[in-house]
Amino acid sequence: MISFREYITENSALHVFDVDDTLVHSDAKIHIKDKAGNTVKKLSPSEYNTHKLHPDHQYDYSEFRSSKVFSHSHPIKKMIRTINAVQATTNKNPKNKVIINTARADLDNKDNFIKTLSAHGIKDMDSIHVYRAGNIPGNEPPAHKKLVYIRQHLDKHPYSHVKMYDDSKENLDAFLGLKHEYPKTRVHAYHVSPDGTMKKHPN
């Protein structure tokens, strides 16, 4: 059996992709509602990442749970090419793994959600698991909830590298904190611009 030290020195990487404004652009909004149920504001995914909820308000995620709304999203072509290229490396090195980690909760139709990602050009959705941080209870920000699934993978497999691709700098900042928890794993964060261009974060 290969030792931990031998395994960690080999090239094994976990690649973590966000969905909204990373792989696709969606018109879906998170509604902020008051106690009477009236919508007082609508947030884009990027606005939601940093929003502080007023104690008298609550979030309404109905648009983000609609697979029909998601079906009208638009692929970010550069990032679709990136996830396909990265996924292809798993065929050459099974120690590499690709996952999708979204702040969304369950959609009303999982199959249609996956079909839309496939229709946008992601070639191997049957091999890519989608983790939905929105299902995790509590009021922690999405950046912290997303780490739950990444930690699960790093606790189970001694990856030599973990790479996160996200449009939210707040999510990436939280992710980079994992380097202190997993000092034997190299942590790489990539900020995705609206056109799909990536830059190492922090620059």
Side-chain angles (χ1 to χ4, degrees):
M1 180 179 292
I2 191 168
S3 70
F4 181 89
R5 178 171 293 180
E6 290 171 326
Y7 195 104
I8 203 72
T9 57
E10 295 187 8
N11 185 21
S12 58
L14 173 67
H15 297 265
V16 184
F17 288 83
D18 178 42
V19 173
D20 292 287
D21 295 328
T22 297
L23 293 173
V24 306
H25 289 307
S26 172
D27 294 329
K29 304 288 186 183
I30 300 99
H31 292 228
I32 300 174
K33 295 197 171 184
D34 60 20
K35 288 184 176 180
N38 300 310
T39 296
V40 297
K41 190 174 183 179
K42 298 180 182 180
L43 302 174
S44 67
S46 59
E47 291 170 329
Y48 171 68
N49 283 330
T50 57
H51 184 261
K52 304 297 182 185
L53 188 67
H54 188 280
D56 293 334
H57 294 164
Q58 61 182 359
Y59 292 124
D60 178 350
Y61 300 100
S62 55
E63 286 190 28
F64 270 84
R65 294 196 171 109
S66 170
S67 59
K68 182 177 181 180
V69 172
F70 186 74
S71 71
H72 297 294
S73 62
H74 307 284
I76 301 174
K77 293 182 180 180
K78 287 183 181 179
M79 289 305 298
I80 298 297
R81 290 195 292 269
T82 297
I83 193 172
N84 284 336
V86 173
Q87 177 63 10
T89 67
T90 64
N91 297 327
K92 299 177 181 178
N93 184 356
K95 292 175 183 175
N96 291 342
K97 188 174 183 64
V98 175
I99 64 171
I100 290 175
N101 192 8
T102 174
R104 290 174 181 256
D106 290 336
L107 276 75
D108 55 14
N109 190 313
K110 175 185 174 182
D111 290 339
N112 285 344
F113 174 67
I114 299 300
K115 285 178 181 178
T116 297
L117 290 174
S118 295
H120 284 335
I122 300 179
K123 294 180 179 179
D124 198 9
M125 281 305 303
D126 288 340
S127 301
I128 302 174
H129 189 82
V130 179
Y131 293 89
R132 298 165 298 281
N135 290 338
I136 297 174
N139 296 319
E140 285 189 311
H144 291 224
K145 290 185 177 182
K146 282 188 167 189
L147 296 183
V148 171
Y149 297 118
I150 299 173
R151 287 189 181 103
Q152 287 178 359
H153 280 275
L154 295 181
D155 288 342
K156 188 175 181 181
H157 301 285
Y159 291 102
S160 58
H161 301 263
V162 57
K163 303 181 180 185
M164 184 174 179
Y165 311 81
D166 204 302
D167 67 291
S168 168
K169 292 183 178 180
E170 290 76 15
N171 290 350
L172 295 171
D173 286 339
F175 167 73
L176 286 172
L178 294 178
K179 65 176 64 175
H180 304 296
E181 296 180 45
Y182 301 90
K184 294 183 178 181
T185 299
R186 296 185 64 183
V187 178
H188 311 267
Y190 297 94
H191 180 249
V192 180
S193 298
D195 66 352
T197 302
M198 291 189 302
K199 290 184 179 180
K200 194 79 177 287
H201 178 78
N203 292 334

